[in-house]
Amino acid sequence: MADPEKAPYDASAFDSRYNQSPNGLHNEHPVAADKLRRSLSPRQVQMIAIGGTIGTGLFLGTGKSLATGGPASLLICYTIVGGIVFVTMLSLGEMAAFVPVAGSFCTFAGRYVDDAFGFALTWNYWFNDVVSTAADLVALQLVMDYWHTTFPWYGLGIIIWALIVAANIINVRAYGEVEYWLCLLKVVTIIVFIILSIVVNAGGNTAHEYIGGRNWHLPDAPFVGGIGGFASVFVTASFAYGGTESIAITAGETKDPARQLPRVVKNVFWRILLFYVLSALMIGLNVAYNYPGLKTKSAVTSPFTIAFQMAGSTVAGSFVNAVILTSVISAGNHALFAGSRLLYTLGVNGHAPKVFTHLTRYQVPWVAVLTTSILSGLLFGASFIGAGQLWTWLQNIVGVSNQLSWICIGIASLRFRAGLKAQGKEHLLPFVNWTYPWGPIIAIVLNSFIVLVQGWSCFSPTFSAVDFVSFYIELPIFVVMIVGWKLVKRTKFKRAREMDLVTDVYTAEDIELEKKGWQGWGKRVGTWFCF
């Protein structure tokens, strides 16, 4: 394969993919990373996009956010971060619809900015997924403690680990189907919660009282803890939204990606509005910030549990805990999928041994899946070391990966558009980011701010050097990885006219024709509702 840094781009050096265009002609596209089987259906991709990353951050983290920042901070911070994520997803969707590969934004960082930039981002995000998979297994302890069962929680962790490995290694449809039903339960729960919260606020509660906005007028409310409380909620909100960008990693295995990915990105707005902003609003209205035990991450004091209890439910805690259990499984399943695809991408791009590109007959990167899952299992075992302190530091170190990825998406988006303009290919975009250029710029600035304030807790009430290192060590590591790879491989910054805007590309001609009439209309509506 020709080195784009040392020679002009040579399309013949790559494999070719032939697609049937609407006019009946075959279009030839060079292929580098687009070798996975596109078996994820529109309903699966839509549901994964809606509920794939909803987890303990929403079900449990919102309680702590309310206690530390108050109802106004909760609503404002979740709205601001939601806006940042939406703009970031528009930028990512534009690139992912044009080049729908499993490496997604990590691949784009290498192709449109610098190969060293992509190298550092992909390895960092892969490690984040490895730790996230293990962290979700560790979170099962929280679930099992609620029911006071004698069954060892680590035993359940091993069982869940085996199940998600099987779902990921059989074929991508197995992963998609498991994720679909797990996400569906979370989505239904949140919709029921919002409807129930409105009823409870209007007086349909055990006290038969109209609540309205009285919890916003408690002493010290609606803002609690001053600027420190606000900053802490800002950081918590960014973690709750973390992983939204990973839906683009499914692009490499999505049917008709040039049509489906724009639809997924557009629906992110409604997901943010419904699941995060409305949930934050109803939690702040119905639950007092000084509710006993709200700061503890427990299903007993989850705002969702409290709302169900206020409506008179006697099994609310068990129900919410069961939903949290499915959320943990779903998050672990998705993290393993994303991590294995990124390891596959590292092999494709020459950033890791080629053995990680080996596929099964169902075109699943089985070596990447097994390697990622084994390392996750080892980290799951390491979580028992040092009474959990080592594990906390490890999570802090990799936590910044979400914010770094958002920043990198914005940078890649600006360079991507510069390349399209220089090569006269802007008209080929299947989906256009209507916020360009101000959207990516604002996202980069605000995400950089989030990275800087994420370690607020290590400064207050007293400075903690160890926590400071765990929060910020990732930043110099990221820079060192970029500089190191650049020095070793002598990579060059991608000039706009030299960017590879041919390999793995999907244009308007590659969009599959949809059926016209009532059948086509019914299929589009069904896909929107994930059926």
Side-chain angles (χ1 to χ4, degrees):
M1 182 180 297
D3 187 348
E5 298 297 340
K6 299 179 180 179
Y9 173 72
D10 180 13
S12 64
F14 296 95
D15 296 331
S16 294
R17 176 185 68 244
Y18 293 90
N19 287 322
Q20 187 74 26
S21 66
N23 58 13
L25 300 176
H26 285 88
N27 298 309
E28 183 175 347
H29 300 282
V31 170
D34 184 17
K35 298 179 181 179
L36 302 179
R37 179 167 295 180
R38 297 189 177 277
S39 299
L40 287 176
S41 66
R43 70 174 178 90
Q44 291 173 330
V45 175
Q46 286 284 3
M47 184 59 77
I48 294 170
I50 293 172
T53 57
I54 295 175
T56 55
L58 180 62
F59 291 116
L60 300 180
T62 46
K64 185 177 181 180
S65 297
L66 177 62
T68 56
S73 295
L74 180 68
L75 179 60
I76 293 173
C77 290
Y78 270 75
T79 302
I80 292 175
V81 177
I84 295 173
V85 171
F86 180 58
V87 171
T88 301
M89 288 302 296
L90 286 175
S91 302
L92 178 57
E94 181 179 70
M95 294 184 288
F98 192 67
V99 182
V101 293
S104 187
F105 51 90
C106 296
T107 296
F108 306 149
R111 288 193 186 184
Y112 310 138
V113 184
D114 192 304
D115 186 59
F117 193 55
F119 168 82
L121 179 61
T122 311
W123 274 112
N124 275 276
Y125 206 81
W126 170 78
F127 186 62
N128 183 29
D129 283 324
V130 171
V131 176
S132 296
T133 305
D136 292 322
L137 297 175
V138 174
L140 291 172
Q141 181 180 10
L142 185 69
V143 177
M144 298 300 290
D145 284 348
Y146 176 82
W147 284 308
H148 303 289
T149 179
T150 57
F151 187 81
W153 69 271
Y154 51 84
L156 179 62
I158 294 173
I159 294 173
I160 298 301
W161 176 83
L163 289 176
I164 63 175
V165 171
N168 275 271
I169 209 166
I170 294 174
N171 57 51
V172 72
R173 284 196 298 178
Y175 154 78
E177 203 61 27
V178 169
E179 197 64 15
Y180 176 86
W181 292 105
L182 292 176
C183 290
L184 181 61
L185 177 60
K186 290 187 287 185
V187 169
V188 171
T189 299
I190 295 174
I191 293 175
V192 171
F193 164 76
I194 292 173
I195 296 173
L196 193 65
S197 295
I198 295 173
V199 174
V200 166
N201 188 268
N205 50 64
T206 54
H208 304 290
E209 295 178 346
Y210 172 71
I211 299 175
R214 70 184 185 192
N215 287 323
W216 281 59
H217 301 286
L218 294 174
D220 296 327
F223 293 97
V224 177
I227 186 63
F230 184 85
S232 66
V233 177
F234 204 54
V235 175
T236 304
S238 69
F239 281 116
Y241 282 104
T244 304
E245 71 286 342
S246 64
I247 180 60
I249 294 176
T250 65
E253 291 159 280
T254 299
K255 294 178 181 177
D256 194 11
R259 185 193 305 278
Q260 299 305 330
L261 289 174
R263 290 177 176 176
V264 166
V265 171
K266 291 175 184 177
N267 287 344
V268 166
F269 172 79
W270 299 109
R271 167 193 162 187
I272 291 171
L273 179 64
L274 177 63
F275 298 142
Y276 288 99
V277 177
L278 276 184
S279 292
L281 173 63
M282 298 315 303
I283 288 170
L285 287 175
N286 291 340
V287 183
Y289 78 89
N290 54 4
Y291 188 92
L294 202 58
K295 288 187 178 182
T296 61
K297 287 188 175 182
S298 170
V300 178
T301 54
S302 165
F304 287 77
T305 301
I306 296 171
F308 281 105
Q309 289 175 336
M310 292 174 72
S313 173
T314 57
V315 294
S318 292
F319 172 73
V320 172
N321 206 53
V323 173
I324 293 172
L325 174 61
T326 63
S327 298
V328 169
I329 299 173
S330 171
N333 187 40
H334 186 65
L336 179 58
F337 171 85
S340 60
R341 270 51 182 183
L342 289 178
L343 189 56
Y344 164 80
T345 300
L346 285 166
V348 169
N349 293 335
H351 297 159
K354 289 295 182 182
V355 66
F356 296 121
T357 64
H358 289 183
L359 306 175
T360 67
R361 63 191 182 102
Y362 296 107
Q363 292 171 271
V364 173
W366 66 275
V367 178
V369 171
L370 289 180
T371 302
T372 304
S373 59
I374 289 172
L375 288 176
S376 296
L378 292 176
L379 284 178
F380 172 59
S383 66
F384 296 95
I385 301 174
Q389 187 60 55
L390 173 64
W391 185 244
T392 300
W393 293 338
L394 189 60
Q395 286 182 297
N396 289 342
I397 289 174
V398 301
V400 72
S401 293
N402 287 327
Q403 287 76 33
L404 281 176
S405 67
W406 295 348
I407 294 172
C408 294
I409 288 169
I411 295 173
S413 174
L414 294 175
R415 294 301 305 151
F416 171 67
R417 274 298 195 96
L420 287 175
K421 184 176 181 180
Q423 297 182 28
K425 295 184 176 182
E426 291 176 292
H427 65 285
L428 296 176
L429 287 174
F431 170 65
V432 177
N433 173 19
W434 54 270
T435 67
Y436 176 86
W438 295 109
I441 293 173
I442 293 173
I444 291 170
V445 173
L446 292 181
N447 285 323
S448 298
F449 173 74
I450 293 176
V451 170
L452 294 177
V453 303
Q454 66 169 336
W456 181 274
S457 60
C458 70
F459 295 99
S460 177
T462 58
F463 178 72
S464 172
V466 175
D467 288 343
F468 175 82
V469 171
S470 69
F471 274 115
Y472 293 105
I473 190 65
E474 181 70 10
L475 299 180
I477 289 177
F478 187 72
V479 173
V480 168
M481 291 182 71
I482 293 176
V483 175
W485 189 257
K486 196 169 184 64
L487 291 175
V488 172
K489 295 295 182 177
R490 299 186 181 278
T491 64
K492 295 180 180 179
F493 179 76
K494 304 291 184 181
R495 297 180 181 274
R497 289 188 175 277
E498 298 173 356
M499 288 181 190
D500 177 6
L501 295 173
V502 179
T503 307
D504 301 318
V505 163
Y506 276 63
T507 65
E509 293 183 342
D510 297 308
I511 297 177
E512 296 177 8
L513 292 175
E514 286 190 314
K515 292 181 180 180
K516 296 182 179 180
W518 66 270
Q519 287 183 322
W521 181 85
K523 185 176 181 180
R524 289 193 295 273
V525 172
T527 299
W528 198 91
F529 285 102
C530 306
F531 294 133

